[in-house]
């Protein structure tokens, strides 16, 4: 099991790791990666990437636009052409390349984790975990390469019907800044296992670790044009990829708002296949038969991990009225103890928000929470003057009609609501346009399963929160997404099924 968010991960440190984290790492790759070469953008433009802990610019990156997307799509199309070096590889040879890439990521784990911590402010231990998960995803999908096949089907006499699973073609992928490296592996793994070629547009806030990963893909031996990375802004480079007529499929992870634009772009262009992993307002239900201290600890990590900037953050905590006050007391203690600061410091549990806009957005919701009458238990303010740090914030007496209980905050803000009955809490948990994650803590198997079956959510965690596995489908109900990533279902996103019917000239 991997954990997007767990009680034990963000605090797991060892001496080895402390010595290796490198905040002064040299950023080597800042250009667009097409055909296995790093090149400048056609326009010559660059954009800055900032360290959110210091607000200093750490790199100027080539800014891709429509012209660069066109170049990358052309390269990916050529690499996908019939009888190209990539198409001529045996499936098992594709697997070997993915395994090599995984080995190189493992070799350069510290470099990748250090770059990621620099660009998105994730505590180094979390970034290191993310790189380990990247290795697991690449190895998992490497194993699929030579196990993708169709079937022979029952048919009328004298006819043989069989299906073939074929790669969908050139795949466009647009990713966010909060888990840039692992989310890339979650998209490259199945696409490459299926035999597709890819163009990835990373988030403008965090393109650097992905460009390093692109360099590793060349070292692993992927033929030119199979993997392309075009950094740039969403409305320009991202939109050009989503609209491109030669892109057969687009996979997107990000906000609901942009997810809707991606679907429109797909519909307006070539009806490319679309998979979306979007936001959430995940309910976490805590019954009165649990150990309150442990429950508060699990709920604490479930929201404050990576400063609340995770799609499955448990941002609505429903606590049974019998333990409500004790739960608030323990949650407050934990929030006050949570060490916020330099993400390279091994004692740090929470780094900054990724950028000014995301910081402002969280602060806006905090002020709305106060105005609408929620009780501010702790936090609610900026920490320090430099960097986008926010103190872990808890609101109690939150009601379902309040904005902080309805909208995705993407910040370190825990909203705690009170409930009494199963029926009531199911209704309230489902009263949202989202449906990505949900959790329940109880020692009663009947309660756990009743809730797990009734909640409208792609993933449900029982007596834990945030565990994901390479093998288990992950995605959203309702406006939290379309399609599933991870596991065999993730692979299906990159495959077409062809039916071949053969009329036999002689029957047995
Ligand atoms: P977040 O709120 O997490 O930053 P976004 O949905 O804004 O999420 O961004 C996720 C990814 O989508 C980023 O790579 C961003 O550049 C890209 N993006 C933003 N706007 C568009 C757009 N109009 N078309 C395509 N991609 C976009």
């Amino acid at each position: 099991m991997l954990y997007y968010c767990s009680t034990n991960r963000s605090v797991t440190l060892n001496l080895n790791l402390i010595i290796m984290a490198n905040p002064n790492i040299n950023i080597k790759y800042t250009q667009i990666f097409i055909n296995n070469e790093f090149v400048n953008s056609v326009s010559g433009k660059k954009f800055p990437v900032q360290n959110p802990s210091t607000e200093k610019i750490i790199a100027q990156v080539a800014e891709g636009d429509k012209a660069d997307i066109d170049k990358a799509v052309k390269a990916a199309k050529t690499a996908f052409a019939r009888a190209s070096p990539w198409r001529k590889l045996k499936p098992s040879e594709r697997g070997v390349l993915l395994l090599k890439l995984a080995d190189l990521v493992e070799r350069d784990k510290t470099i990748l984790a250090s770059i990621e911590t620099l660009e998105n402010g994730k505590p180094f231990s979390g970034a290191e975990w993310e790189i380990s998960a990247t290795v697991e995803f690449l190895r998992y999908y490497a194993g699929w390469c030579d196990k993708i096949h169709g079937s022979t089907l029952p048919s009328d006499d004298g006819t043989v019907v069989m299906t073939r699973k074929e790669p969908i073609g050139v795949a466009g992928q647009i990713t966010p800044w909060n888990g840039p490296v692992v989310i890339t592996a979650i998209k490259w793994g199945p696409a490459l296992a299926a035999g597709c070629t890819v163009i990835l547009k990373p988030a403008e806030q965090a393109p650097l670790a992905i460009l390093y990963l692109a360099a590793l893909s060349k070292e692993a031996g992927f033929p030119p044009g199979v993997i392309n990375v075009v950094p740039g802004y969403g409305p320009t480079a991202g939109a050009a990829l989503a609209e491109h007529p030669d892109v057969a499929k687009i996979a997107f992870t990000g906000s609901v708002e942009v997810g809707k634009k991606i679907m429109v772009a797909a519909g307006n262009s070539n009806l490319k296949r679309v998979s979306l992993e979007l936001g959430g307002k995940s309910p976490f239900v805590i019954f009165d038969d649990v150990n309150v201290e442990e429950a508060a600890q699990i709920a604490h990590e479930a929201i404050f991990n990576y400063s609340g900037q995770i799609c499955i953050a448990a941002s609505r905590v429903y606590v049974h009225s019998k333990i409500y006050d004790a739960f608030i007391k323990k949650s407050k203690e934990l929030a006050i103890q949570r060490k916020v600061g330099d993400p390279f410091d091994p004692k740090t549990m929470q780094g900054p928000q990724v950028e000014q806009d995301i910081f402002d957005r969280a602060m806006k919701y905090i002020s709305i929470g106060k105005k609408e009458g929620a009780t501010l238990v702790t936090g609610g303010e900026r920490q320090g003057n430099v960097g986008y740090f926010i103190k872990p914030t808890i609101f109690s007496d939150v009601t379902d009609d309040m904005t902080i209980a309805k909208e995705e905050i993407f910040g370190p803000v825990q909203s705690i609501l009170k409930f009494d009955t199963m029926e009531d809490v199911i209704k309230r948990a489902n009263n949202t346009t989202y449906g990505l994650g949900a959790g329940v803590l109880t020692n009663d198997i009947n309660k756990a399963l009743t809730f797990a079956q009734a909640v409208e959510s792609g993933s449900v965690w029982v007596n834990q929160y945030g565990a994901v596995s390479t093998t288990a489908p992950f995605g959203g109900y309702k406006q939290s997404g379309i399609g599933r990533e991870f596991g065999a279902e993730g692979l299906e996103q990159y495959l077409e099924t062809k039916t071949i019917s053969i009329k036999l000239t002689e029957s047995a």
Side-chain angles (χ1 to χ4, degrees):
M1 274 284 179
L2 302 167
Y3 284 82
Y4 259 9
C5 146
S6 77
T7 47
N8 57 9
R9 176 171 62 74
S10 59
V11 290
T12 304
L13 296 167
N14 60 46
L15 195 59
N16 212 12
L17 188 144
I18 294 165
I19 292 166
M20 293 196 308
N22 183 3
N24 301 313
I25 194 134
N26 178 26
I27 306 288
K28 265 184 130 166
Y29 304 107
T30 57
Q31 289 169 293
I32 294 172
F33 185 76
I34 296 177
N35 262 331
N36 275 0
E37 300 300 335
F38 282 99
V39 294
N40 286 328
S41 58
V42 172
S43 68
K45 283 203 273 184
K46 292 182 178 180
F47 67 96
V49 175
Q50 192 188 28
N51 174 346
S53 303
T54 62
E55 298 180 42
K56 291 208 172 105
I57 303 301
I58 49 173
Q60 294 287 343
V61 173
E63 183 186 330
D65 202 337
K66 186 175 179 317
D68 307 280
I69 291 290
D70 285 345
K71 270 174 72 181
V73 173
K74 212 167 153 201
K77 206 175 157 186
T78 305
F80 187 73
R82 205 170 122 73
S84 68
W86 175 241
R87 297 301 295 281
K88 281 205 296 212
L89 288 182
K90 290 184 201 151
S92 58
E93 289 171 330
R94 290 203 305 272
V96 170
L97 289 178
L98 273 167
L99 288 175
K100 273 196 195 151
L101 179 58
D103 289 348
L104 295 175
V105 171
E106 197 164 51
R107 182 195 71 190
D108 290 354
K109 186 168 164 173
T110 310
I111 299 174
L112 281 159
S114 298
I115 297 175
E116 183 170 335
T117 295
L118 268 185
E119 62 184 339
N120 74 4
K122 178 175 285 189
F124 185 77
S125 57
E128 210 207 18
W129 167 86
E130 192 185 316
I131 308 305
S132 306
T134 300
V135 173
E136 278 198 47
F137 272 103
L138 293 172
R139 289 188 179 144
Y140 170 77
Y141 280 109
W144 266 110
C145 292
D146 55 1
K147 295 166 196 73
I148 299 168
H149 57 78
S151 44
T152 312
L153 302 162
S155 59
D156 294 343
D157 278 355
T159 305
V160 173
V161 178
M162 60 187 184
T163 57
R164 269 170 61 79
K165 294 283 183 183
E166 298 184 352
I168 203 162
V170 173
Q173 305 177 326
I174 301 177
T175 52
W177 43 264
N178 59 350
V181 182
V182 72
I183 293 174
T184 297
I186 288 164
K187 291 185 167 33
W188 283 3
L192 299 169
C196 295
T197 55
V198 301
I199 300 114
L200 185 122
K201 205 298 281 175
E204 54 275 27
Q205 297 89 343
L208 299 171
I210 295 176
L211 289 171
Y212 192 95
L213 198 63
L216 293 185
S217 75
K218 179 177 179 176
E219 189 180 341
F222 283 91
V226 173
I227 293 176
N228 305 277
V229 178
V230 182
Y233 291 106
T236 50
L241 190 56
E243 283 161 8
H244 206 292
D246 289 335
V247 170
K249 186 239 155 38
I250 193 106
F252 171 77
T253 301
S255 61
V256 172
E257 188 195 350
V258 176
K260 289 182 179 178
K261 290 185 184 164
I262 302 280
M263 281 204 85
V264 170
N268 281 341
S269 53
N270 59 342
L271 265 189
K272 55 179 66 66
R273 310 302 184 247
V274 174
S275 58
L276 306 171
E277 200 263 88
L278 308 173
K281 192 72 194 171
S282 301
F284 196 6
V285 173
I286 301 175
F287 282 92
D288 57 341
D289 59 352
V290 297
N291 177 312
V292 175
E293 305 236 320
E294 281 173 19
Q297 178 72 53
I298 296 172
H300 174 83
E301 283 299 331
I303 178 70
F304 292 114
N305 183 36
Y306 190 34
S307 319
Q309 301 173 120
I310 294 182
C311 52
I312 55 168
S315 51
R316 290 186 290 151
V317 188
Y318 288 93
V319 179
H320 195 276
S321 59
K322 279 196 190 148
I323 56 167
Y324 191 79
D325 292 340
F327 184 91
I328 304 263
K329 186 167 172 272
K330 181 65 188 172
S331 300
K332 180 178 178 181
E333 268 172 48
L334 292 169
I336 290 169
Q337 282 161 16
R338 189 170 184 83
K339 187 171 172 345
V340 180
D342 174 10
F344 281 100
D345 179 342
K347 292 196 204 76
T348 293
M349 298 163 87
Q350 182 178 310
Q353 306 311 114
V354 74
E355 62 175 4
Q356 184 78 52
D357 280 1
I358 299 285
F359 171 90
D360 289 344
R361 183 186 147 111
M363 293 306 290
K364 180 193 84 183
Y365 279 113
I366 289 171
S367 103
I368 293 174
K370 289 187 210 159
K371 261 193 227 127
E372 291 185 357
T375 305
L376 180 66
V377 176
T378 183
E381 55 190 14
R382 181 176 195 157
Q383 175 163 309
N385 303 318
V386 177
Y388 307 117
F389 298 94
I390 299 179
K391 290 188 180 163
T393 298
I394 299 179
F395 282 109
S396 65
D397 305 315
V398 178
T399 52
D400 297 293
D401 57 333
M402 290 181 183
T403 309
I404 56 168
K406 290 198 288 200
E407 297 181 14
E408 189 176 34
I409 299 175
F410 234 55
V413 182
Q414 186 177 40
S415 294
I416 307 182
L417 303 91
K418 198 185 279 186
F419 81 96
D420 280 301
T421 67
M422 173 70 84
E423 276 319 301
D424 174 52
V425 81
I426 288 172
K427 216 159 96 194
R428 291 165 67 194
N430 285 340
N431 186 19
T432 169
T433 56
Y434 293 107
L436 192 61
V440 56
L441 299 185
T442 174
N443 287 313
D444 182 338
I445 187 74
N446 297 303
K447 283 185 180 149
L449 276 179
T450 300
F451 179 77
Q453 291 180 37
V455 72
E456 294 158 0
S457 169
S459 296
V460 188
W461 292 283
V462 178
N463 292 339
Q464 59 172 347
Y465 196 88
V468 293
S469 156
T470 51
T471 56
F474 180 81
Y477 277 39
K478 301 194 262 188
Q479 292 186 37
S480 284
I482 292 182
R484 294 289 179 272
E485 294 188 303
F486 303 19
E489 289 197 34
L491 189 64
E492 280 295 330
Q493 303 284 342
Y494 292 91
L495 293 167
E496 284 285 14
T497 303
K498 178 180 283 174
T499 301
I500 302 179
S501 305
I502 307 155
K503 180 86 184 161
L504 300 182
T505 51
E506 281 179 38
S507 43

